[in-house]
Short mmCIF file of all heavy atoms in Angstrom, two decimals:
data_model
loop_
_atom_site.label_atom_id
_atom_site.label_comp_id
_atom_site.label_asym_id
_atom_site.label_seq_id
_atom_site.Cartn_x
_atom_site.Cartn_y
_atom_site.Cartn_z
N ALA A 203 -30.61 -66.36 -16.23
CA ALA A 203 -31.10 -67.70 -15.89
C ALA A 203 -30.17 -68.41 -14.93
O ALA A 203 -30.53 -69.42 -14.32
CB ALA A 203 -31.31 -68.54 -17.14
N LEU A 224 -39.46 -82.81 -11.61
CA LEU A 224 -38.98 -81.73 -12.47
C LEU A 224 -37.93 -82.36 -13.37
O LEU A 224 -36.92 -82.87 -12.93
CB LEU A 224 -38.28 -80.65 -11.62
CG LEU A 224 -39.07 -79.44 -11.20
CD1 LEU A 224 -38.13 -78.44 -10.49
CD2 LEU A 224 -39.74 -78.74 -12.39
N ASP A 225 -38.24 -82.37 -14.66
CA ASP A 225 -37.30 -82.96 -15.62
C ASP A 225 -36.18 -81.97 -15.89
O ASP A 225 -36.45 -80.91 -16.47
CB ASP A 225 -38.08 -83.35 -16.88
CG ASP A 225 -37.15 -83.89 -17.95
OD1 ASP A 225 -35.95 -84.06 -17.66
OD2 ASP A 225 -37.66 -84.15 -19.05
N PRO A 226 -34.95 -82.29 -15.53
CA PRO A 226 -33.90 -81.29 -15.78
C PRO A 226 -33.70 -80.94 -17.24
O PRO A 226 -33.25 -79.86 -17.57
CB PRO A 226 -32.64 -81.94 -15.17
CG PRO A 226 -32.99 -83.30 -14.77
CD PRO A 226 -34.47 -83.47 -14.89
N LYS A 227 -34.12 -81.95 -18.11
CA LYS A 227 -33.92 -81.69 -19.56
C LYS A 227 -35.04 -80.80 -20.09
O LYS A 227 -35.00 -80.35 -21.22
CB LYS A 227 -33.91 -83.03 -20.31
CG LYS A 227 -32.63 -83.81 -20.11
CD LYS A 227 -32.47 -84.87 -21.22
CE LYS A 227 -31.91 -86.15 -20.66
NZ LYS A 227 -32.91 -87.07 -20.13
N ALA A 228 -36.09 -80.58 -19.24
CA ALA A 228 -37.21 -79.81 -19.75
C ALA A 228 -36.86 -78.37 -20.14
O ALA A 228 -37.51 -77.72 -20.90
CB ALA A 228 -38.32 -79.77 -18.69
N LEU A 229 -35.71 -77.92 -19.61
CA LEU A 229 -35.31 -76.55 -19.96
C LEU A 229 -34.93 -76.47 -21.44
O LEU A 229 -35.05 -75.43 -22.04
CB LEU A 229 -34.10 -76.12 -19.07
CG LEU A 229 -33.75 -74.68 -19.09
CD1 LEU A 229 -34.93 -73.83 -18.61
CD2 LEU A 229 -32.54 -74.38 -18.18
N GLY A 230 -34.51 -77.61 -21.98
CA GLY A 230 -34.19 -77.65 -23.41
C GLY A 230 -33.02 -76.78 -23.78
O GLY A 230 -32.28 -76.28 -22.91
N GLU A 231 -32.86 -76.59 -25.08
CA GLU A 231 -31.76 -75.78 -25.56
C GLU A 231 -32.12 -74.29 -25.37
O GLU A 231 -33.27 -73.91 -25.60
CB GLU A 231 -31.57 -76.08 -27.04
CG GLU A 231 -30.30 -75.54 -27.59
CD GLU A 231 -30.27 -75.68 -29.12
OE1 GLU A 231 -31.16 -76.31 -29.68
OE2 GLU A 231 -29.38 -75.08 -29.74
N THR A 232 -31.19 -73.49 -24.92
CA THR A 232 -31.44 -72.05 -24.82
C THR A 232 -30.35 -71.30 -25.57
O THR A 232 -29.31 -71.85 -25.84
CB THR A 232 -31.46 -71.56 -23.34
OG1 THR A 232 -30.15 -71.74 -22.79
CG2 THR A 232 -32.47 -72.29 -22.51
N ARG A 233 -30.68 -70.06 -25.83
CA ARG A 233 -29.69 -69.27 -26.62
C ARG A 233 -29.85 -67.81 -26.23
O ARG A 233 -30.96 -67.29 -26.12
CB ARG A 233 -30.04 -69.47 -28.10
CG ARG A 233 -29.22 -68.69 -29.05
CD ARG A 233 -28.13 -69.53 -29.68
NE ARG A 233 -27.05 -68.65 -30.11
CZ ARG A 233 -26.34 -68.81 -31.19
NH1 ARG A 233 -26.55 -69.80 -32.01
NH2 ARG A 233 -25.41 -67.95 -31.50
N ALA A 234 -28.73 -67.11 -26.02
CA ALA A 234 -28.77 -65.69 -25.81
C ALA A 234 -28.47 -65.02 -27.17
O ALA A 234 -27.58 -65.44 -27.88
CB ALA A 234 -27.74 -65.26 -24.78
N THR A 244 -32.89 -63.84 -24.07
CA THR A 244 -32.54 -65.27 -23.87
C THR A 244 -33.77 -66.08 -24.27
O THR A 244 -34.86 -65.82 -23.75
CB THR A 244 -32.18 -65.53 -22.41
OG1 THR A 244 -33.23 -65.04 -21.58
CG2 THR A 244 -30.86 -64.89 -22.03
N ALA A 245 -33.59 -66.93 -25.23
CA ALA A 245 -34.73 -67.68 -25.76
C ALA A 245 -34.56 -69.17 -25.46
O ALA A 245 -33.44 -69.68 -25.52
CB ALA A 245 -34.85 -67.47 -27.26
N GLY A 246 -35.66 -69.84 -25.10
CA GLY A 246 -35.62 -71.26 -24.87
C GLY A 246 -36.37 -71.96 -25.97
O GLY A 246 -37.35 -71.43 -26.50
N ALA A 247 -35.91 -73.17 -26.34
CA ALA A 247 -36.60 -73.93 -27.37
C ALA A 247 -37.95 -74.42 -26.82
O ALA A 247 -38.22 -74.31 -25.63
CB ALA A 247 -35.73 -75.11 -27.78
N SER A 248 -38.76 -74.98 -27.69
CA SER A 248 -40.14 -75.26 -27.32
C SER A 248 -40.24 -76.35 -26.24
O SER A 248 -41.27 -76.49 -25.59
CB SER A 248 -40.93 -75.71 -28.52
OG SER A 248 -40.35 -76.84 -29.09
N THR A 249 -39.17 -77.08 -25.97
CA THR A 249 -39.23 -78.11 -24.93
C THR A 249 -39.42 -77.48 -23.54
O THR A 249 -39.66 -78.20 -22.57
CB THR A 249 -37.93 -78.94 -24.91
OG1 THR A 249 -36.84 -78.04 -25.04
CG2 THR A 249 -37.93 -79.97 -25.99
N THR A 250 -39.28 -76.17 -23.45
CA THR A 250 -39.43 -75.53 -22.15
C THR A 250 -40.92 -75.49 -21.72
O THR A 250 -41.19 -75.27 -20.54
CB THR A 250 -38.97 -74.08 -22.16
OG1 THR A 250 -39.53 -73.42 -23.27
CG2 THR A 250 -37.44 -73.99 -22.21
N ALA A 251 -41.82 -75.78 -22.65
CA ALA A 251 -43.23 -75.70 -22.34
C ALA A 251 -43.54 -76.59 -21.14
O ALA A 251 -43.15 -77.77 -21.10
CB ALA A 251 -44.06 -76.16 -23.53
N GLY A 252 -44.22 -76.04 -20.16
CA GLY A 252 -44.67 -76.87 -19.03
C GLY A 252 -43.67 -77.04 -17.92
O GLY A 252 -43.94 -77.69 -16.94
N LEU A 253 -42.51 -76.43 -18.05
CA LEU A 253 -41.51 -76.59 -16.98
C LEU A 253 -41.98 -75.90 -15.70
O LEU A 253 -41.81 -76.42 -14.63
CB LEU A 253 -40.17 -76.01 -17.43
CG LEU A 253 -39.11 -75.98 -16.31
CD1 LEU A 253 -38.66 -77.37 -15.95
CD2 LEU A 253 -37.92 -75.15 -16.73
N PHE A 254 -42.57 -74.73 -15.88
CA PHE A 254 -42.89 -73.92 -14.69
C PHE A 254 -44.38 -73.95 -14.37
O PHE A 254 -45.20 -74.25 -15.19
CB PHE A 254 -42.45 -72.48 -14.92
CG PHE A 254 -40.95 -72.32 -15.01
CD1 PHE A 254 -40.35 -72.00 -16.22
CD2 PHE A 254 -40.17 -72.50 -13.90
CE1 PHE A 254 -38.99 -71.86 -16.32
CE2 PHE A 254 -38.78 -72.38 -14.01
CZ PHE A 254 -38.19 -72.04 -15.21
N ASP A 283 -43.56 -73.29 -32.97
CA ASP A 283 -42.57 -74.00 -32.15
C ASP A 283 -41.78 -72.95 -31.35
O ASP A 283 -41.47 -73.16 -30.17
CB ASP A 283 -41.57 -74.79 -33.02
CG ASP A 283 -42.22 -76.05 -33.57
OD1 ASP A 283 -43.29 -76.41 -33.08
OD2 ASP A 283 -41.62 -76.66 -34.51
N GLN A 286 -43.99 -71.29 -28.49
CA GLN A 286 -44.13 -72.18 -27.37
C GLN A 286 -42.97 -72.13 -26.40
O GLN A 286 -43.07 -72.49 -25.26
CB GLN A 286 -44.24 -73.62 -27.87
CG GLN A 286 -45.62 -74.14 -27.96
CD GLN A 286 -45.57 -75.65 -28.15
OE1 GLN A 286 -45.27 -76.10 -29.23
NE2 GLN A 286 -45.80 -76.36 -27.08
N GLY A 287 -41.86 -71.68 -26.90
CA GLY A 287 -40.65 -71.60 -26.03
C GLY A 287 -40.70 -70.41 -25.11
O GLY A 287 -41.68 -69.65 -25.07
N ALA A 288 -39.68 -70.28 -24.30
CA ALA A 288 -39.62 -69.16 -23.33
C ALA A 288 -38.76 -68.06 -23.90
O ALA A 288 -37.94 -68.29 -24.81
CB ALA A 288 -39.02 -69.66 -22.06
N LEU A 302 -42.54 -66.74 -20.05
CA LEU A 302 -42.01 -68.00 -19.57
C LEU A 302 -43.07 -69.09 -19.53
O LEU A 302 -43.23 -69.76 -18.53
CB LEU A 302 -41.40 -67.84 -18.17
CG LEU A 302 -39.92 -67.52 -18.09
CD1 LEU A 302 -39.47 -67.33 -16.65
CD2 LEU A 302 -39.07 -68.59 -18.72
N VAL A 303 -43.81 -69.20 -20.63
CA VAL A 303 -44.88 -70.20 -20.76
C VAL A 303 -46.03 -69.94 -19.78
O VAL A 303 -47.19 -69.92 -20.15
CB VAL A 303 -44.34 -71.64 -20.55
CG1 VAL A 303 -45.45 -72.64 -20.73
CG2 VAL A 303 -43.20 -71.95 -21.55
N LYS A 385 -17.66 -69.32 -25.35
CA LYS A 385 -18.47 -70.36 -25.98
C LYS A 385 -18.90 -70.00 -27.38
O LYS A 385 -19.27 -68.85 -27.62
CB LYS A 385 -19.74 -70.63 -25.15
CG LYS A 385 -19.53 -71.37 -23.88
CD LYS A 385 -20.91 -71.65 -23.33
CE LYS A 385 -20.91 -72.28 -22.00
NZ LYS A 385 -22.28 -72.31 -21.41
N VAL A 387 -21.71 -70.95 -28.66
CA VAL A 387 -23.17 -70.66 -28.55
C VAL A 387 -23.45 -70.32 -27.06
O VAL A 387 -23.45 -71.17 -26.24
CB VAL A 387 -23.97 -71.91 -28.98
CG1 VAL A 387 -25.48 -71.66 -28.70
CG2 VAL A 387 -23.77 -72.20 -30.46
N PRO A 388 -23.71 -69.04 -26.78
CA PRO A 388 -24.02 -68.68 -25.38
C PRO A 388 -25.45 -69.04 -25.00
O PRO A 388 -26.38 -68.87 -25.76
CB PRO A 388 -23.86 -67.15 -25.37
CG PRO A 388 -24.04 -66.73 -26.80
CD PRO A 388 -23.75 -67.87 -27.69
N ALA A 389 -25.60 -69.63 -23.79
CA ALA A 389 -26.91 -70.09 -23.33
C ALA A 389 -27.54 -69.05 -22.42
O ALA A 389 -26.92 -68.04 -22.06
CB ALA A 389 -26.73 -71.40 -22.56
N ALA A 390 -28.83 -69.28 -22.03
CA ALA A 390 -29.55 -68.36 -21.16
C ALA A 390 -28.85 -68.23 -19.80
O ALA A 390 -28.96 -67.24 -19.10
CB ALA A 390 -30.99 -68.81 -20.99
N THR A 391 -28.12 -69.31 -19.41
CA THR A 391 -27.46 -69.30 -18.10
C THR A 391 -26.08 -68.64 -18.20
O THR A 391 -25.34 -68.56 -17.21
CB THR A 391 -27.27 -70.73 -17.55
OG1 THR A 391 -26.77 -71.56 -18.60
CG2 THR A 391 -28.59 -71.31 -17.06
N ASP A 392 -25.71 -68.16 -19.38
CA ASP A 392 -24.48 -67.36 -19.55
C ASP A 392 -24.83 -65.87 -19.38
O ASP A 392 -25.95 -65.53 -19.04
CB ASP A 392 -23.84 -67.66 -20.88
CG ASP A 392 -23.29 -69.09 -20.93
OD1 ASP A 392 -22.77 -69.53 -19.91
OD2 ASP A 392 -23.41 -69.76 -21.97
N THR A 423 -34.34 -74.21 -33.82
CA THR A 423 -35.62 -73.62 -33.38
C THR A 423 -35.53 -72.10 -33.22
O THR A 423 -36.54 -71.45 -32.88
CB THR A 423 -36.06 -74.21 -32.03
OG1 THR A 423 -34.91 -74.51 -31.25
CG2 THR A 423 -36.92 -75.40 -32.21
N PHE A 424 -34.36 -71.51 -33.33
CA PHE A 424 -34.26 -70.08 -33.10
C PHE A 424 -34.42 -69.23 -34.35
O PHE A 424 -34.26 -68.01 -34.29
CB PHE A 424 -32.93 -69.78 -32.40
CG PHE A 424 -32.79 -70.51 -31.10
CD1 PHE A 424 -31.97 -71.61 -30.97
CD2 PHE A 424 -33.56 -70.15 -30.01
CE1 PHE A 424 -31.87 -72.32 -29.80
CE2 PHE A 424 -33.50 -70.85 -28.81
CZ PHE A 424 -32.66 -71.93 -28.71
#
Side-chain angles (χ1 to χ4, degrees):
L224 265 185
D225 177 4
K227 286 198 219 87
L229 193 59
E231 193 190 351
T232 64
R233 176 101 204 217
T244 51
S248 58
T249 44
T250 50
L253 173 68
F254 294 110
D283 285 348
Q286 261 193 283
L302 266 179
V303 181
K385 284 188 187 171
V387 174
T391 47
D392 291 322
T423 32
F424 301 106

